[in-house]
Amino acid sequence: MTGNNAAVTKRQPIRTGSVIRFLFLLVLSISMIYPVLWMLTIALSGSGGMFEVPPEWIPHEFHFNNFIEGAKKVEFGHVFLNSLIISLIVTIGQVVSSLFVGYGIARIPFPGRKLWFYLFIGSMMLPSIVSLIPVFFVFAKIGLYNTWWPILLPAFFGNPFFIFLCRQFYSAVPYSYDEAAKIDGANHLQIMTKVIVPMSIPLVVTMIILSFQGSWNEYLQPLVYLQDQKLWPLSVAVASFSGAYGTTWNHFMAVNLLYMLPLLILFFAAQKYFMQGLGSLNNSGLK
Amino acid sequence: MKKSFWQKDGVIGYMFILPGVIGFLFFVAYPLLSSIYFSMTKWSGFDTPKFIGLKNFKYMFTMDPTFWPGLRATILYAVISVPLGLVLGLALAMLLNRSLPGIKIFRTLFYLPVVLPIVATSTLWLFVYEPQFGLANNVLKAIGLHPVEWLTDSRTALMSLMVIALWGVGSNMIIFLGGLQSVPSDVYEAAEIDGASKFRAFFSVTIPLITPTLFLQLITGMIGAFQTFVQPSILTKDGGPDFSTMLLNFSIYKNAFQGQDFGYAIAQVWVLFVLIILFTIIAFKSSSSFVYYENDSR
């Protein structure tokens, strides 16, 4: 088929084309999320439910009790609270510190800012395990092993990716805003908190979401630093539960779902920002 | 009017970026420099590191039975799953770029796996791959094929981990969608007037205009893939059959925090680091031939 033919014939089959595309996407998306739906099936079925051949897609009776039984096994309330506290503090730390650094690099013309910007971006390339081991021993030496401090403290020293996002965003804001504020007698701290940051609420929300998500999912750091089960966040507790599953897959899947739940709620509540924030990445590509 | 010390841009600037500077010095510069030394020590973590020169590296390259299979797995994992993820992500983004009933729901469904905690999804996949009653084998049986020992067969174990990575293709999709939507529609109109087919327009207009996005994702995807840890640690616990899933990052963790062999683990860290730098340099060097920037004046 030549190019001309395609251009002429392309308008007529648009309906069937759309239908095919719709059905294709439907099948594909169902197969994508099928494991999650299946997980729900197991979480609701009795202890022998998943051994049945052929497997039951909808259990004939719902065992909501699995959620309670599973939650008891991992002391869910306690571990959930641990995760929540850690994630909230990490989020505040990362977002606030990155806003400062990003503003400084983008809006204050000081010597060496380009160098620091490249150093920050460059450090994104460093595998996190490079810093993990040497830093582990510093924290252990000052007596912070088996506490939350090694997980919480680093958050207050900026996140390279967020610094990058802030810098890209703030570099695009016209300088006339700063000048107008300066004439009114504002200093940089005031310009940042009263003018620039309020202009970038979508950016801030995006960072909050990404930071909370990242911290909620973090596994390696708590695994390395926290020996005491009482201090564990959900990630480590769930992983250790999976090692000891035995025959209680249904309890385990119920807990797994409970672990996912806050992120699911966050995702659906803040969908717009998820899509926007990541979309804005394109305009800030590595140029 | 002369500015006081605290009003100088240089001073204020550094006050603003101070968190980043401290973070860089402590979490990047110090670990990097100290690990050059640590990589040449015998160090259990409790004793003082003992300098042994290049013995760690010699052991790694000549004696350690896990190293070469692990290195092979690490490279295979990155160079297969990342480009495949890019192609699939772009294909999905193309399908989801035009209006269609329920398009937002589709986008959400494809993005969903990316949002879920990786520990939770890894344990879920552990169950999907369960040989007796797992979902994967149920599907195979339903269409009349033989069940497969997904995670305990050295031929399929690494591939099984790649499938999980591809399940997260939604993150590529969403970034490509943003890229596609930033392509101005008049470019397509111009191409259509010039008589270009859709196929031709895709390769001559769409692809060139989204290469910066493509490149960014290639780099970040590679760096991420080289650091895969959770999947092998949960799904194939000891590095899989014949060390076929002994990904470097996981091997480092095992040697350090389970084997108490920190000097050796840090030597492996350097191999991982050099690997990432090498692949990044290759990507950057070759990028000039395929990445197109609209205003190339920079």
Side-chain angles (χ1 to χ4, degrees):
Chain A
M1 190 160 60
T2 69
N4 274 329
N5 275 340
V8 174
T9 52
K10 98 181 195 310
R11 297 240 169 249
Q12 286 121 13
I14 205 148
R15 299 219 91 171
T16 43
S18 292
V19 170
I20 292 169
R21 197 154 59 94
F22 181 83
L23 290 175
F24 180 67
L25 283 170
L26 192 69
V27 172
L28 203 62
S29 61
I30 289 175
S31 66
M32 281 286 283
I33 57 154
Y34 198 81
V36 179
L37 297 176
W38 187 59
M39 192 176 169
L40 188 65
T41 308
I42 295 164
L44 287 171
S45 60
S47 52
M50 57 282 186
F51 302 109
E52 270 162 45
V53 181
E56 280 182 5
W57 300 132
I58 300 166
H60 45 251
E61 52 183 72
F62 294 126
H63 294 253
F64 289 107
N65 216 21
N66 291 343
F67 285 88
I68 296 161
E69 292 295 314
K72 269 188 203 152
K73 278 186 189 156
V74 291
E75 290 181 65
F76 189 81
H78 183 80
V79 187
F80 182 87
L81 204 63
N82 287 350
S83 269
L84 198 65
I85 296 169
I86 292 173
S87 298
L88 286 178
I89 296 176
V90 166
T91 303
I92 294 169
Q94 284 191 342
V95 172
V96 172
S97 58
S98 302
L99 281 171
F100 272 94
V101 179
Y103 176 90
I105 287 184
R107 313 291 294 185
I108 307 175
F110 63 89
R113 64 177 180 161
K114 237 188 176 154
L115 172 73
W116 282 107
F117 178 59
Y118 286 128
L119 288 178
F120 295 149
I121 300 192
S123 60
M124 280 197 275
M125 257 199 271
L126 197 73
S128 56
I129 199 121
V130 173
S131 63
L132 185 73
I133 300 173
V135 170
F136 175 85
F137 284 102
V138 175
F139 279 128
K141 220 170 209 169
I142 55 177
L144 296 180
Y145 176 68
N146 206 19
T147 70
W148 285 347
W149 289 108
I151 299 163
L152 302 181
L153 276 178
F156 288 84
F157 299 110
N159 168 318
F161 177 60
F162 290 175
I163 292 172
F164 172 71
L165 280 185
C166 288
R167 190 265 185 188
Q168 297 303 92
F169 195 92
Y170 291 155
S171 298
V173 177
Y175 276 94
S176 49
Y177 286 100
D178 302 34
E179 275 148 26
K182 257 182 204 159
I183 291 166
D184 290 342
N187 59 32
H188 274 296
L189 189 65
Q190 289 162 327
I191 298 175
M192 176 187 146
T193 54
K194 303 231 166 82
V195 182
I196 305 289
V197 172
M199 284 170 69
S200 63
I201 294 303
L203 172 77
V204 175
V205 175
T206 304
M207 291 197 295
I208 290 173
I209 293 168
L210 289 179
S211 182
F212 187 87
Q213 187 199 7
S215 170
W216 192 262
N217 294 351
E218 175 63 37
Y219 176 61
L220 183 55
Q221 277 204 339
L223 181 69
V224 165
Y225 283 112
L226 304 176
Q227 194 185 32
D228 188 352
Q229 295 198 12
K230 289 255 170 282
L231 295 171
W232 279 0
L234 271 164
S235 57
V236 183
V238 165
S240 105
F241 188 11
S242 91
Y245 50 83
T247 52
T248 56
W249 276 104
N250 44 353
H251 294 171
F252 174 68
M253 285 300 165
V255 169
N256 224 0
L257 274 172
L258 289 177
Y259 173 34
M260 291 176 174
L261 201 61
L263 282 185
L264 286 177
I265 294 169
L266 182 72
F267 175 59
F268 285 109
Q271 228 189 97
K272 196 178 96 190
Y273 289 109
F274 261 102
M275 305 286 170
Q276 257 181 16
L278 290 166
S280 68
L281 264 181
N282 302 289
N283 312 326
S284 55
L286 287 173
K287 293 195 175 174
Chain B
M1 194 168 63
K2 203 168 164 17
K3 283 181 177 177
S4 81
F5 177 76
W6 293 106
Q7 285 172 320
K8 283 188 178 134
D9 275 344
V11 177
I12 299 172
Y14 275 99
M15 302 248 305
F16 268 79
I17 70 161
L18 194 63
V21 172
I22 296 173
F24 179 81
L25 294 178
F26 184 59
F27 295 107
V28 178
Y30 159 72
L32 261 184
L33 295 177
S34 67
S35 66
I36 295 176
Y37 171 69
F38 288 143
S39 73
M40 289 182 270
T41 62
K42 177 103 190 111
W43 184 28
S44 74
F46 302 103
D47 53 357
T48 19
K50 200 178 112 213
F51 188 81
I52 54 166
L54 294 174
K55 274 192 188 140
N56 283 328
F57 291 94
K58 197 181 159 203
Y59 173 78
M60 192 190 318
F61 295 135
T62 58
M63 312 269 285
D64 185 348
T66 71
F67 177 71
W68 290 110
L71 186 70
R72 177 175 173 272
T74 308
I75 294 175
L76 277 179
Y77 182 84
V79 302
I80 296 177
S81 71
V82 174
L84 217 55
L86 288 178
V87 172
L88 290 177
L90 180 59
L92 267 184
M94 297 289 293
L95 281 171
L96 290 168
N97 192 30
R98 283 169 299 164
S99 71
L100 200 74
I103 195 96
K104 280 201 169 151
I105 297 170
F106 282 131
R107 286 177 190 169
T108 308
L109 288 182
F110 285 116
Y111 192 68
L112 195 63
V114 184
V115 183
L116 302 176
I118 187 146
V119 166
T121 54
S122 296
T123 47
L124 166 62
W125 279 92
L126 185 63
F127 199 28
V128 170
Y129 286 137
E130 210 285 333
Q132 302 292 316
F133 48 86
L135 183 61
N137 278 348
N138 276 344
V139 171
L140 287 188
K141 280 179 222 159
I143 56 176
L145 293 172
H146 285 290
V148 174
E149 297 270 329
W150 298 98
L151 297 170
T152 46
D153 185 331
S154 60
R155 289 166 302 177
T156 53
L158 188 64
M159 191 201 75
S160 304
L161 298 194
M162 289 180 195
V163 169
I164 304 176
L166 288 176
W167 193 50
V169 73
S171 75
N172 291 327
M173 173 206 75
I174 209 81
I175 296 173
F176 274 128
L177 259 178
L180 289 174
Q181 276 160 10
S182 68
V183 177
S185 59
D186 53 350
V187 188
Y188 288 115
E189 280 155 27
E192 201 173 325
I193 290 166
D194 290 344
S197 68
K198 283 206 165 162
F199 189 72
R200 180 73 200 274
F202 174 72
F203 282 101
S204 309
V205 178
T206 311
I207 291 276
L209 284 177
I210 59 164
T211 44
T213 310
L214 193 88
F215 180 61
L216 180 73
Q217 292 188 73
L218 178 70
I219 298 279
T220 53
M222 282 283 180
I223 294 171
F226 277 124
Q227 296 185 59
T228 304
F229 167 76
V230 180
Q231 293 90 326
S233 107
I234 287 181
L235 284 133
T236 50
K237 295 175 175 77
D238 284 309
D242 305 330
F243 308 116
S244 57
T245 63
M246 190 58 129
L247 302 182
L248 251 178
N249 210 28
F250 175 59
S251 165
I252 292 166
Y253 166 81
K254 273 179 79 81
N255 284 321
F257 296 101
Q258 289 178 355
Q260 312 292 340
D261 200 348
F262 287 94
Y264 183 58
I266 291 180
Q268 283 190 309
V269 162
W270 272 96
V271 174
L272 177 65
F273 189 35
V274 168
L275 204 63
I276 290 179
I277 292 176
L278 215 66
F279 273 81
T280 310
I281 289 174
I282 294 171
F284 266 97
K285 285 271 177 211
S286 60
S287 74
S288 57
S289 67
F290 71 86
V291 177
Y292 167 82
Y293 291 120
E294 214 164 334
N295 35 3
D296 230 352
S297 52
R298 292 208 194 193

